[in-house]
Structures are given as structure tokens and as C-alpha cells.
Amino acid sequence: MYNKKQNNMKCPSCGKEIAEDSKFCEYCGVQVKKNSKPLLITLFVVIGLVALGGFGYYQYDKAKQQEYARTHSRSNRHDRVDLGLSVKWATCNVGASKPEDYGNYYAWGETSTKSSYIESKSKTYGKNIGDIKGNSNYDAARANWGGNWRLPTKAERQELIDKCNWTWITQNGKNGYKVTGPNGNSIFLPAAGFRRGSSLLHAGGGIYWSSTPNEYKYGSAYGLILGSDGQGVHGSIGRDCGTSVRPVVE
């Protein structure tokens, strides 16, 4: 006679107890089908865990997108970042598709690039012109990007220096500054050099125009000069110089 063991089950045909791992009933010979409940339970648990993981990733990705949307936005097809300052700063230079790209070079008060940046070809050198912010005839940011984009003023350039933390870094092979605002958001300003004549000079440093002219020297305007040893706003930059443009928007 079959001795009952601890892990037994009943034959689905004759009802007698047989070993749990039996393939055939030893009493009636019927083939025993295994109980699929444990397998189904395991399958449901796995599906549940996968679904839970997927939902968790969805929530994480959604949170990241919401955070990006909170700190980044677009104005007339271009990204801007809220640094916690009086204006929002563009993520790229005019003419660039990525933050580390140098982009185009413009003489002060001019809205297009050219092959040679010299005094005799400057459209504003020696002329008594007021602040050009938002004036599409002179402001390279407004003329090329449209909308409310414009050159930053001298004061807004100074605010960027005074209220932000500047860290010299290399981003995707390009040197420049990571500029972190009071709210923790940041932009990258590449050290794009500047153009004199037909040459690109001062690689490893850079100049960024402001909209503010030098009211005492009609051949100069204010701009941000940066290098690995520091940065500052200066008003003695020749208007014929070809420099980078990083726009702002209200």
C-alpha cells in the first residue's frame, strides 16, 4: 500500500492520494496534470513588478520633464534658462546649435557676419549711437532670432557676473564657463575667441557683446571679456571686432 507522505496530492480521477511529483496515478493509471496555479501566481507577480517598474520610470521621466520645463522654456524656437536673474538667458550663441558651439561673430551694431572685421568696414565705428537693445537694425540677437530676443545690456552683463558662480570647465571638448545662477540653474559660455580682420584670435578666451555703447568713445562698446583667469565687463572693445552674441529675453 502507498504510504502517505508529507507532500501529497489527490488524483483528479480516483481521488486517492499520490505523490506530488507523480506523472501518472498509481491506482487508476490516469495521467496527472500539474497544478498551474503556482506558475500563474509567479507570472502575475513578474508582470506586476514589470508594470510597477515601468510606472515608476514613467513618473521619474515625467518629473524630469516637468523640472526641465520649469527651468527651461522656448521663445521663438530658441531655448532659454531662468537663472534667477532679471532676464532669462539663451542656452546657445546666435548661430550655434549646441551650448558649446561657438556660433557666429558680429561687429557691434551689425546683424550679419562678414569675411573681414576691420575699422573701415564697421557700420557703427565713430558714430554716436545709443543703446541698441531690441533694435533690429543694430541688434544681432533681435535681427536673427526675432521675437523678444535681444542683446543684454551692460547692467545685465554685470548682474551675470555679480550674482552667479563661474566655474571654468571643458564641455564636449570646448573650454568655457559654467555659469550657475542663484536658483541653481546654469548655462555654458564657450571661450569662442574673437575676430580681427579675417583671423580668429584669442582661442581660450572670448568676448560677448552687450547692447550698451561707450558714451565717451564712439569707436567702442561694452562687452563681457572672459578667460580661464577670470571675467569682467569692459567698455573699451572696438566696435569693429567680431564677437559672440548670447541673447536674453524678458
Side-chain angles (χ1 to χ4, degrees), residues 11-245:
C11 171
S13 178
C14 67
K16 292 185 178 181
E17 290 190 349
I18 57 175
E20 190 176 29
D21 58 353
S22 297
K23 294 182 179 179
F24 296 91
C25 177
E26 60 183 280
Y27 298 102
C28 66
V30 73
Q31 185 177 1
V32 179
K33 293 182 179 180
K34 297 295 183 182
N35 189 351
S36 61
K37 287 185 178 179
L39 179 60
L40 288 175
I41 291 173
T42 302
L43 181 61
F44 288 145
V45 169
V46 171
I47 292 174
L49 290 174
V50 171
L52 184 61
F55 179 73
Y57 178 79
Y58 167 77
Q59 290 295 100
Y60 170 75
D61 188 59
K62 182 179 179 182
K64 284 182 64 178
Q65 292 179 10
Q66 289 175 339
E67 177 62 17
Y68 185 87
R70 186 184 68 79
T71 60
H72 294 67
S73 55
R74 290 179 70 81
S75 178
N76 208 37
R77 305 183 307 278
H78 298 282
D79 288 343
R80 60 190 180 184
V81 180
D82 180 4
L83 298 176
L85 304 176
S86 61
V87 292
K88 296 177 177 63
W89 287 80
T91 59
C92 297
N93 293 344
V94 173
S97 58
K98 297 181 292 186
E100 60 270 15
D101 287 348
Y102 291 164
N104 296 333
Y105 298 84
Y106 299 90
W108 190 84
E110 298 184 24
T111 60
S112 59
T113 60
K114 51 190 179 182
S115 59
S116 182
Y117 295 82
I118 56 178
E119 183 179 321
S120 62
K121 291 188 176 182
S122 170
K123 296 180 179 179
T124 65
Y125 194 94
K127 296 181 180 180
N128 185 5
I129 299 175
D131 197 298
I132 61 174
K133 71 173 184 178
N135 186 332
S136 59
N137 293 320
Y138 298 102
D139 187 327
R142 178 63 59 86
N144 287 278
W145 281 15
N148 293 321
W149 289 108
R150 61 172 175 80
L151 282 165
T153 64
K154 171 189 173 184
E156 289 161 350
R157 281 276 179 221
Q158 193 63 51
E159 179 187 45
L160 191 70
I161 291 177
D162 294 341
K163 295 186 178 181
C164 295
N165 180 50
W166 292 65
T167 307
W168 183 260
I169 65 171
T170 300
Q171 179 167 306
N172 293 329
K174 301 291 180 64
N175 293 328
Y177 277 102
K178 179 181 180 182
V179 185
T180 305
N183 62 5
N185 299 329
S186 64
I187 58 173
F188 178 74
L189 294 177
F194 61 90
R195 289 194 174 276
R196 283 282 193 186
S198 58
S199 301
L200 178 62
L201 305 175
H202 197 41
I207 302 175
Y208 286 81
W209 281 130
S210 79
S211 63
T212 308
N214 188 324
E215 60 272 32
Y216 304 108
K217 297 180 181 179
Y218 297 158
S220 303
Y222 284 90
L224 169 69
I225 298 179
L226 58 84
S228 58
D229 56 346
Q231 65 288 142
V233 175
H234 299 276
S236 58
I237 304 170
R239 296 182 185 180
D240 56 320
C241 180
T243 84
S244 303
V245 170

